[in-house]
Amino acid sequence: MERKIKVMSIFGTRPEAIKMAPLVQELESREQVESLVCVTAQHREMLDQVLDAFSIQPDYDLDIMAPAQTLMHITVKALEGLAGVLQQARPDLVLVHGDTSTTFVAALAAFYEKIKVGHVEAGLRTGDRYSPFPEEMNRTLTTDIAALHFAPTPANAANLRREGVEQGIYVTGNTVIDALTSTVRPQYTFDCPRLNQIDFQKERVILLTAHRRENYGQPFEHIMEAAKQIAAQAEGVRVVYPVHLSPYVRQTAQQYLGQVPNVDLIEPLGVMDMHNLMARCALVMTDSGGIQEEAPSLGKPVLVLRRETERPEAVAAGAVRMAGVESDQIVRQALTLLENPAEYAKMAQAVNPYGDGRACRRIADAALYSFGLLPAPPADFEAGAR
């Protein structure tokens, strides 16, 4: 009988689930892999939306989310729960994604059980351990534990090598590009009723997302004020803001934008709605990480509402611009894109450096190669290559 490896994918948040779902599907298609899924449910409702969209049924569900949960609560509950799961399942390889508390804790739990760890979306760095918080430290600590490092881009791989990682680095592209190939559809009906009422041909829709913890306070208020000014000044524009479940975010968004007629404050969207809204919008303004990768692949200019980014490749390619967290700067950059067709086209036509839709295949191949089940490693992803 052909030898198999048991691979457990562990994740807990909506962004992780979006990026791990196509990888889970790829692993399940491999005869040499016994694929298991464990979710911490660090985010519950938002995670479940993605699991349903990709028809993924977890083998283990820790269901740790609690009201007003803290980073300490997430860390302790996930570590306690994962200890039992890993002792029972005994996988050969644990795959974690990115930079959440679940990511670091799952890697740590696997290390305690002497189980090999593969880090999907490895090597992203800002160089500031407190920004984004706690993500920068989560991903750095995960690097120290992991044996396999699946870097989306050559620049991410270079970050790892500068930190002394010498083995197990594979440049794969980003799995979110794989996800987009199955979620974006030309004839799509939104689950959110309000989105079906928008005429995307007549109105220029700005997709706004803002929720990052390090922006809470004055930076977040500046972002909200900028959105209010853009809605008032730009002709034929509608701002659509799926508002994060954070009480602070919801309260502040309502305070600044709740009475603006061409701003729609809507509930968080499922992955299908979000990807298809992104495909139809004119411009994206975000403090999210993943959207900086998704939107350029759909030809959408992105203004990043942060002071720094761990995803500089799209900035260098011209698909993303740093708008910061000052109202006047955000407004100026947004109006420039909305009023200057040449500037808009320059960003919309930039080459996306993040993937070609084959990242999951490379990761699965690299995992099998690392266990001696394939004779050669996968070729590295190269941006712009065909």
Side-chain angles (χ1 to χ4, degrees):
M1 188 172 72
E2 188 174 35
R3 182 184 162 209
K4 282 191 173 188
I5 58 169
K6 187 185 291 187
V7 180
M8 177 175 284
S9 301
I10 302 177
F11 49 93
T13 69
R14 178 183 183 274
E16 287 175 287
I18 291 170
K19 294 182 174 185
M20 288 295 278
L23 179 55
V24 168
Q25 293 175 333
E26 177 68 27
L27 293 170
E28 289 175 347
S29 75
R30 300 295 184 107
E31 292 183 357
Q32 294 167 294
V33 174
E34 179 185 346
S35 175
L36 298 173
V37 173
C38 174
V39 297
T40 64
Q42 175 182 333
H43 295 169
R44 179 77 269 173
E45 181 181 349
M46 297 169 76
L47 171 71
D48 290 343
Q49 291 173 351
V50 182
L51 296 176
D52 291 343
F54 287 91
S55 300
I56 292 174
Q57 180 65 47
D59 300 281
Y60 302 90
D61 188 335
L62 302 184
D63 195 23
I64 68 170
M65 185 174 174
Q69 65 186 3
T70 65
L71 293 174
M72 199 77 73
H73 167 269
I74 293 168
T75 300
V76 171
K77 293 293 288 183
L79 192 59
E80 289 177 344
L82 287 169
V85 168
L86 294 175
Q87 288 164 11
Q88 178 183 340
R90 298 307 308 175
D92 300 296
L93 175 66
V94 161
L95 293 179
V96 297
H97 178 278
D99 52 24
T100 70
S101 296
T102 289
T103 306
F104 166 57
V105 172
L108 183 62
F111 169 73
Y112 286 161
E113 295 298 325
K114 297 184 179 180
I115 297 168
K116 181 185 285 192
V117 173
H119 187 193
V120 179
E121 198 176 274
L124 280 69
R125 299 289 187 271
T126 65
D128 181 346
R129 64 170 56 194
Y130 292 109
S131 182
F133 175 83
E135 289 86 353
E136 179 76 359
M137 188 53 67
N138 284 340
R139 57 190 170 219
T140 303
L141 293 169
T142 301
T143 291
D144 290 338
I145 295 171
L148 303 177
H149 310 267
F150 303 117
T153 71
N156 301 146
N159 288 340
L160 295 169
R161 294 188 179 99
R162 275 194 296 272
E163 294 175 2
V165 179
E166 297 178 355
Q167 296 182 331
I169 299 175
Y170 302 89
V171 180
T172 62
N174 198 297
T175 60
V176 76
I177 310 304
D178 299 33
L180 286 168
T181 62
S182 64
T183 56
V184 175
R185 301 168 186 171
Q187 304 299 323
Y188 179 77
T189 300
F190 292 98
D191 289 333
C192 173
R194 176 68 191 104
L195 297 179
N196 289 318
Q197 297 167 3
I198 296 174
D199 188 334
F200 290 92
Q201 301 301 317
K202 292 183 178 179
E203 290 187 293
R204 294 181 296 171
V205 171
I206 298 175
L207 170 58
L208 171 66
T209 77
H211 69 276
R212 296 202 79 86
R213 197 182 297 262
E214 67 269 21
N215 277 342
Y216 285 12
Q218 192 175 67
F220 192 82
E221 293 175 10
H222 286 173
I223 291 169
M224 295 297 99
E225 176 61 29
K228 183 177 180 179
Q229 291 184 31
I230 293 164
Q233 296 178 39
E235 186 176 348
V237 158
R238 175 164 297 280
V239 177
V240 177
Y241 181 9
V243 185
H244 195 271
L245 296 175
S246 157
Y248 170 79
V249 170
R250 294 172 85 84
Q251 179 181 347
T252 311
Q254 187 64 38
Q255 176 186 339
Y256 279 84
L257 302 173
Q259 303 304 314
V260 181
N262 57 331
V263 173
D264 292 322
L265 301 180
I266 61 176
E267 292 300 308
L269 297 174
V271 59
M272 302 293 287
D273 271 12
M274 177 60 88
H275 283 177
N276 284 277
L277 173 57
M278 205 181 305
R280 287 160 175 75
C281 76
L283 172 66
V284 176
M285 295 171 37
T286 185
D287 65 3
S288 165
I291 290 177
Q292 296 175 49
E293 300 153 348
E294 295 165 338
S297 72
L298 298 169
K300 306 303 175 179
V302 179
L303 296 181
V304 177
L305 308 174
R306 290 164 59 181
R307 293 187 175 95
E308 69 284 301
T309 180
E310 60 278 80
R311 294 168 171 86
E313 296 89 350
V315 177
V320 167
R321 291 181 183 174
M322 302 301 298
V325 292
E326 300 297 331
S327 297
D328 57 348
Q329 185 178 351
I330 297 169
V331 172
R332 183 172 63 253
Q333 292 205 39
L335 293 180
T336 295
L337 289 172
L338 293 167
E339 296 171 359
N340 189 323
E343 284 296 307
Y344 184 93
K346 191 187 304 182
M347 291 189 71
Q349 295 168 9
V351 174
N352 176 28
Y354 291 120
D356 57 3
R358 297 194 290 273
C360 295
R361 191 182 313 170
R362 293 187 184 94
I363 292 169
D365 286 348
L368 290 169
Y369 170 73
S370 74
F371 282 90
L373 297 180
L374 283 182
D380 282 350
F381 161 70
E382 296 180 27
R386 291 289 183 265

